[in-house]
Amino acid sequence: MNKTFRGGVHPDGHKELSKDQPIEKFLPKGDLVFPLNQHIGKPAKPVVKKGDQVLAGQLIAEADGFVSANIVSSCSGTVKAVEERHTISGGRAMCIVIANDGQFTRAPGIGAERDDTKVTGKEILDAIKWAGIVGLGGAGFPTHVKLAPRNPEQIDYVIANGSECEPYITCDDQLMRTESAGIVEGLRLVLRLFPNAKGVIAIEDNKPEAISAMTAACSGDANISVLPVMAKYPEGGERSLIGVVTGRQLRFGQLPADLGCVVCNVSSLNAIYRAVCKSEPLMDRLFTVSGDAVEKPHNLSVPIGTCCAELLEAAGGVKSGCQVKKVLCGGPMMGIAMSTLDVPTAKNNNALTFLAEDEVEFAEEQMTACIRCGRCGQVCPIGLVPQMMAEAAERNDLERYEKKLYGLDCIACGSCTYTCPAKRPLMQLFKHTKAKIMAAKRK
Amino acid sequence: MSHIIIATAAVAVIGLLIGVLLVTVDKKFKVEVDEKEAAVRACLPGNNCGGCGYAGCDALASAIIHQEAPVNGCPVGGDPVAEKISTILGLEMEHTEKVAAFVKCSGDCENAAARCHYVGIHDCASAISSGLSPWTCDFGCIGFGTCAAACPFGAITVDQGVARVDRDKCKACGQCVAACPRHLIELVPDSATYAVRCSSHDRGAAVKKVCSAGCLACKLCEKQCEAGAITVENNVAHIDYDKCTKCGKCAEKCPAKVIKKRNPA
């Protein structure tokens, strides 16, 4: 039995849909749109204007402030506009729109090999910042900030997160199977920044091919090991994973670095390898297009900024005889429902899921009052009591929610909502309540 | 028989003693209350709605006495209450113009284009944070009635997907103004005859796609208005009610019928 955390749920993975399909390189035909806020922190500042010619890999918006990230163009063409557009999360943001010339001509210097044995720590961080790498697992935290904590010598674990636990998504799994050398190389580069750390690659045990590929890639390196963890949702959550690997518990407001840990998604590590050793900025990423309403679910290597509608086409469109009831950016547990496909993909998006059956709608019809069974508390990976949190949130008792029930520690994984027999929309309530408290704190 | 007499007498004596005690204690430990403050407090409606900006009616009464708040500080009571308070305090009466909440959106089921079938918590702010709302317009009324829930007077109802205010019931406390996550509600003077029923900052073409009752920012109203009361800012018309002469030319010309005559209250 592999190690795991307390709580969690076992949703149907549906990973077989896309897991073994070959990866396809997809080149979009239409315009590419780059929102300036594809990361946590301050939006980037555009450095191009309407009418400018850009090449693939060229910087189009630079980091503005400490917690911010560069954005590079992933195609060649002309800047069509810098304007407000809808983003994948349903809001609006300033975006750079580039009319794609279809050539994907690379800017000079992109792809130049660099001898990684000679690079210094500062060069590694500079290359990551230059490449605009952010946490590709979903959070989008700028990686050059994450890898420069105040206490580098106190970091004793660098965890490569390969525990892709969200149903339907298989892009990290396939990346680990095909780019294992790049991931291990990226991990070695990160380990160079932390002299006292050892590398642990945590992979869920439902990905045996990825485990064997990664074990082979890191064999002979005493400082790096592969740790198979139990396949359970949300194993890939930063907190759960730190708990499983090190036994340390992260609290709200704490960063992993405070507990001597740095957690990086495997795709971020591969991007670090490509940025440092191949001089390739973050231009494309693996993207899962899956769901029971898609003709050909599989993984695509997609230039960032591609329109979601083109991705559906690339996956063969909607399955004949099927009707798409729900589209999710991400998977069904933590994904965001989308109302239009006319939005661009961003760095931190990793999947589109098309469902023929909307299970949530079904649940709303069956919703009853809370029956106080306590199952939500049993599955909460943080150890919170969602039932009491919901009660406080509904009464708008924000102080109790925050101080007595530690509601801000909620990671919005949705395990409580998934398991609730009364079908109550707990996660949405917690997300909203958390946002309300944070907004009040900012005032 | 004697038992009854003894019991009655005992109760009467105890009652008398307690009475005397209470009277002495009351006289000796009397808490000085400003009579005027109590009188002012009695005039106030007592809803504790907070529309005045103070923490309830007691706090406002004390503020009025200390001349920190004007005699017409209570928006709910309006002129009648202000008059009573000014008589008590011997201050000059300050007239307030009656205002009422007004929803600057008319994108109802007939006019607005539907975005999606929303499933989840029916609360406007919740819907916005989830990135979804029933209507395509990013600026219009969501229609889940967060304002109606906030109204202590039951003046707001959601009809056809848009919040509507009953001006007779509205006491202008401003709770709905603070509650609306899209900032669509404004306190408008009752005397205002014409008002703009749209808040979209999108350009005309984009508005037309999502709502047939949206301001196109064509500026026809601005050109028509002889009093210079209308300005189009951020792609939406604004009426300055102080300058408006109620001629109605703007409403006549408005192609989208966004500027409409209001029903008299």
Side-chain angles (χ1 to χ4, degrees):
Chain A
M1 190 79 140
N2 290 313
K3 281 170 90 176
T4 190
F5 59 98
R6 178 201 160 279
V9 290
H10 292 278
D12 202 346
H14 297 287
K15 304 223 182 210
E16 68 291 344
L17 285 173
S18 54
K19 187 168 152 277
D20 298 315
Q21 305 299 328
I23 298 174
E24 202 177 289
K25 191 159 174 61
F26 177 71
L27 293 176
K29 292 173 199 77
D31 296 349
L32 275 86
V33 181
F34 301 88
L36 297 177
N37 62 350
Q38 302 185 30
H39 47 261
I40 289 180
K42 215 169 161 198
K45 202 163 66 189
V47 293
V48 290
K49 54 184 193 307
K50 193 178 168 181
D52 283 0
Q53 291 290 325
V54 293
L55 296 171
Q58 187 183 328
L59 183 76
I60 51 172
E62 62 180 7
D64 185 16
F66 179 59
V67 183
S68 187
N70 286 348
I71 296 169
V72 297
S73 174
S74 51
C75 68
S76 53
T78 322
V79 178
K80 208 167 158 186
V82 180
E83 61 181 19
E84 211 172 53
R85 292 253 182 140
H86 281 107
T87 61
I88 208 157
S89 59
R92 291 184 181 205
M94 285 307 280
C95 296
I96 297 173
V97 185
I98 295 179
N100 176 12
D101 64 7
Q103 305 296 317
F104 295 90
T105 320
R106 287 186 162 199
I110 305 286
E113 299 268 348
R114 178 151 47 164
D115 184 5
D116 67 308
T117 49
K118 291 204 187 82
V119 288
T120 61
K122 186 166 184 308
E123 278 172 342
I124 294 173
L125 285 177
D126 285 348
I128 292 170
K129 187 174 180 192
W130 163 80
I133 298 172
V134 302
L136 299 180
F141 189 78
T143 304
H144 65 275
V145 182
K146 183 194 271 187
L147 296 184
R150 261 174 272 131
N151 52 347
E153 58 296 321
Q154 280 169 23
I155 304 290
D156 51 3
Y157 279 102
V158 174
I159 303 169
N161 187 350
S163 312
E164 193 172 49
C165 56
E166 180 83 33
Y168 289 101
I169 307 179
T170 55
C171 59
D172 285 353
D173 183 11
Q174 287 217 326
L175 187 82
M176 286 188 284
R177 284 150 70 178
T178 54
E179 303 282 336
S180 47
I183 296 168
V184 172
E185 205 48 54
L187 183 56
R188 282 200 190 108
L189 288 168
V190 172
L191 281 169
R192 242 191 260 179
L193 303 169
F194 307 108
N196 302 322
K198 60 176 180 196
V200 178
I201 306 166
I203 308 171
E204 275 191 333
D205 54 14
N206 60 354
K207 307 175 188 40
E209 301 94 339
I211 293 176
S212 55
M214 293 305 294
T215 315
C218 67
S219 64
D221 194 329
N223 206 23
I224 298 178
S225 58
V226 173
L227 176 73
V229 292
M230 192 205 260
K232 185 163 78 171
Y233 181 87
E235 191 81 70
E238 195 169 62
R239 285 168 180 237
S240 329
L241 206 59
I242 290 175
V244 173
V245 175
T246 68
R248 299 166 196 170
Q249 285 305 320
L250 197 69
R251 292 222 60 88
F252 177 75
Q254 274 184 324
L255 292 172
D258 298 334
L259 296 182
C261 297
V262 165
V263 185
C264 274
N265 188 269
V266 285
S267 42
S268 308
L269 290 172
N270 190 43
I272 290 171
Y273 160 70
R274 285 169 61 182
V276 176
C277 300
K278 305 249 187 233
S279 312
E280 273 179 33
L282 185 61
M283 293 191 287
D284 47 39
R285 65 158 299 150
L286 270 194
F287 209 89
T288 307
V289 183
S290 187
D292 52 3
V294 174
E295 185 65 48
K296 210 176 91 192
H298 65 311
N299 284 294
L300 299 148
S301 165
V302 180
I304 286 156
T306 304
C307 178
C308 290
E310 284 197 63
L311 289 179
L312 175 60
E313 251 172 68
V318 178
K319 201 190 260 180
S320 57
C322 238
Q323 214 189 349
V324 179
K325 270 277 188 64
K326 188 160 211 164
V327 187
L328 296 158
C329 157
M333 293 299 284
M334 284 186 84
I336 312 163
M338 294 165 64
S339 58
T340 168
L341 285 180
D342 194 17
V343 287
T345 59
K347 290 175 187 174
N348 56 347
N349 302 137
N350 53 5
L352 280 183
T353 308
F354 295 84
L355 300 176
E357 206 56 65
D358 188 348
E359 289 167 25
V360 180
E361 198 175 335
F362 182 59
E364 193 174 59
E365 285 162 17
Q366 298 179 341
M367 189 175 95
T368 66
C370 171
I371 57 168
R372 292 162 186 268
C373 62
R375 278 190 220 174
C376 47
Q378 278 170 14
V379 299
C380 180
I382 310 297
L384 304 174
V385 192
Q387 174 243 326
M388 290 167 96
M389 280 158 64
E391 226 172 68
E394 272 162 9
R395 267 190 286 115
N396 211 13
D397 189 348
L398 300 184
E399 201 179 323
R400 180 174 157 77
Y401 183 87
E402 183 191 344
K403 305 262 164 66
K404 293 267 162 59
L405 301 169
Y406 303 97
L408 293 183
D409 282 62
C410 170
I411 56 164
C413 67
S415 298
C416 49
T417 316
Y418 175 82
T419 203
C420 180
K423 314 278 182 210
R424 301 193 63 76
L426 298 166
M427 172 180 159
Q428 193 191 6
L429 183 64
F430 299 154
K431 255 182 159 173
H432 173 53
T433 310
K434 209 168 153 179
K436 228 175 4 186
I437 295 174
M438 298 312 277
K441 274 184 196 274
R442 272 197 293 275
K443 261 181 205 164
Chain B
M1 189 64 190
S2 64
H3 296 301
I4 296 171
I5 294 168
I6 291 167
T8 318
V11 169
V13 171
I14 292 169
L16 205 68
L17 283 175
I18 292 175
V20 170
L21 189 75
L22 281 175
V23 169
T24 30
V25 168
D26 183 46
K27 290 268 188 276
K28 191 152 184 192
F29 299 104
K30 191 173 180 187
V31 179
E32 287 297 327
V33 184
D34 193 334
E35 273 172 39
K36 279 185 179 170
E37 189 175 324
V40 169
R41 170 65 187 83
C43 296
L44 294 171
N47 294 76
N48 291 322
C49 68
C52 54
Y54 289 89
C57 298
D58 285 345
L60 177 64
S62 144
I64 292 177
I65 291 291
H66 297 106
Q67 306 214 340
E68 284 159 10
V71 284
N72 59 359
C74 174
V76 176
D79 270 359
V81 167
E83 209 173 329
K84 275 191 216 162
I85 295 176
S86 57
T87 343
I88 293 169
L89 299 180
L91 291 169
E92 202 168 313
M93 162 75 184
E94 290 171 53
H95 281 283
T96 22
E97 201 183 356
K98 181 164 166 32
V99 293
F102 174 72
V103 183
K104 294 183 285 179
C105 174
S106 46
D108 58 13
C109 299
E110 265 175 41
N111 300 323
R115 186 200 291 263
C116 63
H117 173 61
Y118 176 89
V119 179
I121 299 171
H122 281 228
D123 170 81
C124 304
S126 243
I128 289 179
S129 62
S130 73
L132 294 170
S133 66
W135 312 113
T136 310
C137 178
D138 283 337
F139 301 93
C141 178
I142 294 172
F144 288 153
T146 299
C147 51
C151 179
F153 304 98
I156 306 183
T157 44
V158 177
D159 180 25
Q160 302 267 322
V162 174
R164 290 174 211 266
V165 181
D166 181 338
R167 274 154 73 192
D168 291 333
K169 286 187 188 162
C170 176
K171 304 289 180 202
C173 68
Q175 296 280 333
C176 53
V177 177
C180 179
R182 287 208 161 148
H183 313 292
L184 294 175
I185 307 181
E186 193 183 12
L187 296 177
V188 171
D190 241 11
S191 60
T193 324
Y194 294 93
V196 184
R197 290 159 202 265
C198 180
S199 305
S200 175
H201 294 311
D202 268 336
R203 294 220 182 109
V207 173
K208 228 173 182 171
K209 263 188 219 161
V210 300
C211 186
S212 62
C215 177
L216 307 172
C218 63
K219 301 201 174 185
L220 268 179
C221 49
E222 197 180 280
K223 284 171 203 148
Q224 287 299 315
C225 186
E226 285 157 12
I230 306 185
T231 44
V232 176
E233 268 170 54
N234 253 334
N235 295 322
V236 63
H238 291 277
I239 299 181
D240 183 340
Y241 301 114
D242 292 337
K243 288 187 190 161
C244 176
T245 55
K246 304 176 177 111
C247 66
K249 278 182 188 159
C250 50
E252 235 169 73
K253 285 285 171 187
C254 180
K257 301 285 165 221
V258 176
I259 303 181
K260 265 198 219 160
K261 193 166 185 176
R262 300 172 78 200
N263 300 324

